Amino acid sequence: MNVHDLALHTDKYQINMMYAHWYHGTQDQKSVFEAFFRKRPFQNGFAVFAGLERIVDYLKNLRFSEECIAYLATQEEDYDPKFLDALREFRFTGDLYSVEEGTIVFPNEPLIRIEGRIFEAQLIETALLNFMNYQTLIATKAARIKQVAPEDGLLEFGTRRAQEADAAVWGARASYIAGFHATSNVRAGMLFGIPAKGTHAHAWVQDHDTEVDAFERFAEALPNTVTLLVDTYDTLKSGVPNAIKVAKHMEEQGKRMGAIRLDSGDLAYLSKQARQMLDEAGLNYVGIVASNDLDEHTILHLKSEGAKIDTWGVGTQLITAADQPSLGGVYKLVAREKNGVYIPTIKISGNPEKITTPGFKTVYRIVNTATGKAEADYIALTTETDVREGGRIKLFDPVHTYIHKFVTEYEAQELLKPIFVNGELVYNLPTLQEIRDYHEEQKNLFWPEYLRVLNPEIYPVDLSQEVWDMKMRLIHEHHGADDKK
């Protein structure tokens, strides 16, 4: 079994729909799909898009191996062998447009647009959403933590609590995009060039006759990266005093201890007491690292209490996105080929928020040229030229349409970039550091009210008048047809 073969990393109904299209001879019909999410994760003001590199790698290598074909031949659907032959020739030959990783994004705007044969576009839905949803979720959680500790060290410590190996390494990468400084996962460090950091476990201390022996031996083995875990027995009575002894011994040898680590107890109180003890011993250069089920809420409270913590090790709450374990991104058909031209499609729902926005669209970030700040994101048909040419456009709330304004002095930044064209990769994947830098630059586009962790202002995502009119027309046509029944 090849665990890296991802052709069948999909839902069964995707294969069945592919088969039905093949059976009826419509497999080459062109279609346009969009991937987006509907609700703000964590009730945050924004999300951080991630997962594109994983999607690119998936599409470049998407093939049905003989092992996959043999498995499908055993299924209850009894697929025609000629269909399985068609899968042997499968390649992604479509177009993929996407926002770039690290981009600050918002609900109900297209993050990825796929144009291609329905045979291909249908298959890739599940994997694409899997990669986008998870990494965007973790990057957003990491960004929230970065917001409350912008000047502190942030370490991703989540591997042992992650939902399997891939979640651990790609979660570490997503965290790094959003501003974390290092990971405990050595494989993620090797794969992506993320700095890997580690201290020692309580077991190291327990495996020695005395705590000070454990500290001395650890410092002797790793004198350049010493961080001592001081809460195995009693943080203030033994842990910190023994760490101070070792730090002084290291000074005699011309070395410096890096930090102590707190992993339990009242972190605000313990960190303040430890800081005082270290400073009184002349060890003001020794930092304090804290861990213990931290998230943005805990860190915010600890900082409000004056905790003397320099670096935060965040694990479970980050890598599992514990307070919202899924993004809920969706992949919807917005246009289909009929008689050689595209016609818009819409999904009608009893839940108004689930009604899709039809048409072959793109999205622009409207940046006020006077302030340099984003006014809104603007969804328009790809055929519209006024926004690209800087013409006067109307920004209006898609729900409360009477709330509107006209803008003329703006820069329209098109967010969807060509990644694949006719199945060929045309995008140069940036380095992880470039993505990280780009994400930091993105923050400068927005007023802080949109980015704050608590009760953020809602950033506008607006439809062009043409898109709005098309959506209303299709809704009315659908309901008009129902009324005639």
Side-chain angles (χ1 to χ4, degrees):
M1 179 177 66
N2 181 0
V3 297
H4 301 293
D5 186 344
L6 295 179
L8 296 185
H9 184 57
T10 191
D11 293 306
K12 184 68 169 293
Y13 76 171
Q14 311 286 15
I15 302 291
N16 286 345
M17 286 187 284
M18 292 172 71
Y19 183 78
H21 275 295
W22 175 86
Y23 182 87
H24 291 289
T26 56
Q27 70 271 22
D28 293 332
Q29 172 188 299
K30 291 291 188 69
S31 58
V32 180
F33 285 83
E34 291 175 352
F36 59 95
F37 63 93
R38 296 189 180 105
K39 296 180 180 178
R40 297 176 294 130
F42 317 105
Q43 297 185 359
N44 201 46
F46 64 94
V48 180
F49 178 75
L52 179 59
E53 185 170 317
R54 181 84 149 124
I55 291 168
V56 166
D57 184 70
Y58 163 73
L59 292 177
K60 282 172 57 181
N61 296 289
L62 186 53
R63 307 284 188 276
F64 283 86
S65 66
E66 288 304 317
E67 186 177 15
C68 292
I69 299 293
Y71 174 75
L72 290 174
T74 69
Q75 296 302 290
E76 63 183 357
E77 287 81 2
D78 192 23
Y79 302 119
D80 188 314
K82 293 181 180 178
F83 169 69
L84 301 180
D85 287 339
L87 294 184
R88 286 187 173 91
E89 302 302 317
F90 184 96
R91 302 290 185 272
F92 178 71
T93 63
D95 298 346
L96 183 146
Y97 282 65
S98 175
V99 302
E100 297 182 279
E101 287 196 278
T103 302
I104 289 177
V105 294
F106 303 93
N108 297 310
E109 60 186 10
L111 306 181
I112 297 174
R113 187 183 72 227
I114 297 285
E115 180 189 8
R117 296 194 307 150
I118 189 69
F119 199 64
E120 301 168 28
Q122 199 68 73
L123 172 68
I124 67 176
E125 171 184 358
T126 302
L128 185 149
L129 288 177
N130 180 210
F131 304 145
M132 181 192 85
N133 281 340
Y134 176 69
Q135 292 191 49
T136 299
L137 186 73
I138 301 306
T140 305
K141 183 70 171 176
R144 285 174 59 77
I145 295 168
K146 178 73 172 180
Q147 286 291 96
V148 302
E151 306 301 325
D152 300 343
L154 296 171
L155 309 177
E156 183 277 311
F157 275 2
T159 295
R160 63 188 62 194
R161 303 288 171 77
Q163 283 91 345
E164 242 283 347
D166 279 356
V169 296
W170 290 100
R173 180 182 181 277
S175 302
Y176 192 68
I177 285 172
F180 269 59
H181 300 99
T183 178
S184 64
N185 189 295
V186 184
R187 182 166 172 252
M190 179 186 72
L191 290 174
F192 306 124
I194 304 170
K197 299 287 185 180
T199 58
H200 65 78
H202 294 105
W204 174 261
V205 178
Q206 293 171 274
D207 195 38
H208 290 79
D209 292 336
T210 68
E211 186 175 53
V212 73
D213 284 346
F215 289 173
E216 287 282 8
R217 285 168 58 81
F218 191 76
E220 182 180 351
L222 297 160
N224 298 319
T225 58
V226 178
T227 295
L228 299 176
L229 182 58
V230 296
D231 71 335
T232 303
Y233 301 122
D234 189 303
T235 299
L236 299 181
K237 290 183 179 179
S238 67
V240 176
N242 284 330
I244 289 172
K245 290 179 185 177
V246 174
K248 288 297 186 182
H249 188 206
M250 290 180 68
E251 284 185 338
E252 294 170 1
Q253 299 172 331
K255 300 288 186 179
R256 279 191 165 195
M257 181 185 293
I260 62 170
R261 177 177 156 219
L262 305 172
D263 190 49
S264 61
D266 185 331
L267 295 179
Y269 172 75
L270 292 174
S271 66
K272 287 185 280 189
Q273 294 300 309
R275 181 75 273 156
Q276 182 177 341
M277 294 166 71
L278 290 166
D279 289 350
E280 289 175 351
L283 300 171
N284 62 309
Y285 59 84
V286 175
I288 297 178
V289 179
S291 51
N292 191 22
D293 222 22
L294 300 172
D295 65 5
E296 66 272 32
H297 306 292
T298 308
I299 294 171
L300 187 61
H301 286 305
L302 287 168
K303 291 179 79 68
S304 72
E305 294 173 36
K308 301 297 184 180
I309 295 167
D310 307 294
T311 300
W312 308 88
V314 189
T316 304
Q317 303 297 318
L318 168 60
I319 206 68
T320 66
D323 48 342
Q324 184 179 321
S326 68
L327 179 66
V330 295
Y331 183 90
K332 296 300 180 183
L333 182 69
V334 296
R336 66 185 182 91
E337 186 182 28
K338 185 176 182 180
N339 300 323
V341 298
Y342 277 122
I343 61 170
T345 67
I346 191 169
K347 174 183 178 290
I348 304 292
S349 173
N351 300 110
E353 71 276 8
K354 289 190 173 184
I355 298 175
T356 60
T357 300
F360 199 142
K361 305 182 298 297
T362 190
V363 58
Y364 300 90
R365 183 147 293 160
I366 305 301
V367 179
N368 185 308
T369 52
T371 65
K373 300 296 185 184
E375 293 272 350
D377 284 3
Y378 183 78
I379 300 171
L381 298 175
T382 56
T383 54
E384 294 186 58
T385 60
D386 54 350
V387 62
R388 288 201 300 271
E389 296 169 354
R392 181 173 181 261
I393 59 173
K394 181 181 181 182
L395 302 178
F396 62 93
D397 187 293
V399 177
H400 307 289
T401 55
Y402 61 89
I403 301 174
H404 70 275
K405 64 180 177 181
F406 291 93
V407 294
T408 54
E409 302 300 321
Y410 64 88
E411 175 193 359
Q413 300 178 354
E414 190 166 3
L415 298 186
L416 293 176
K417 308 295 185 183
I419 311 299
F420 285 88
V421 175
N422 296 323
E424 296 295 325
L425 181 64
V426 298
Y427 178 74
N428 292 321
L429 288 169
T431 66
L432 192 54
Q433 185 59 51
E434 287 171 337
I435 296 171
R436 181 181 165 91
D437 293 342
Y438 168 70
H439 171 65
E440 285 301 310
E441 293 168 4
Q442 280 276 293
K443 296 178 186 178
N444 296 327
L445 282 175
F446 298 93
W447 299 107
E449 290 79 6
Y450 295 124
L451 304 182
R452 64 192 179 209
V453 169
L454 299 177
N455 300 316
E457 185 69 19
I458 304 302
Y459 178 79
V461 175
D462 298 332
L463 305 180
S464 73
Q465 190 67 56
E466 282 194 46
V467 172
W468 171 259
D469 291 343
M470 176 187 293
K471 185 173 184 176
M472 293 302 102
R473 176 174 59 80
L474 291 180
I475 291 173
H476 293 153
E477 285 177 1
H478 172 79
H479 287 303
D482 284 348
D483 292 342
K484 294 176 182 177
K485 292 179 181 177

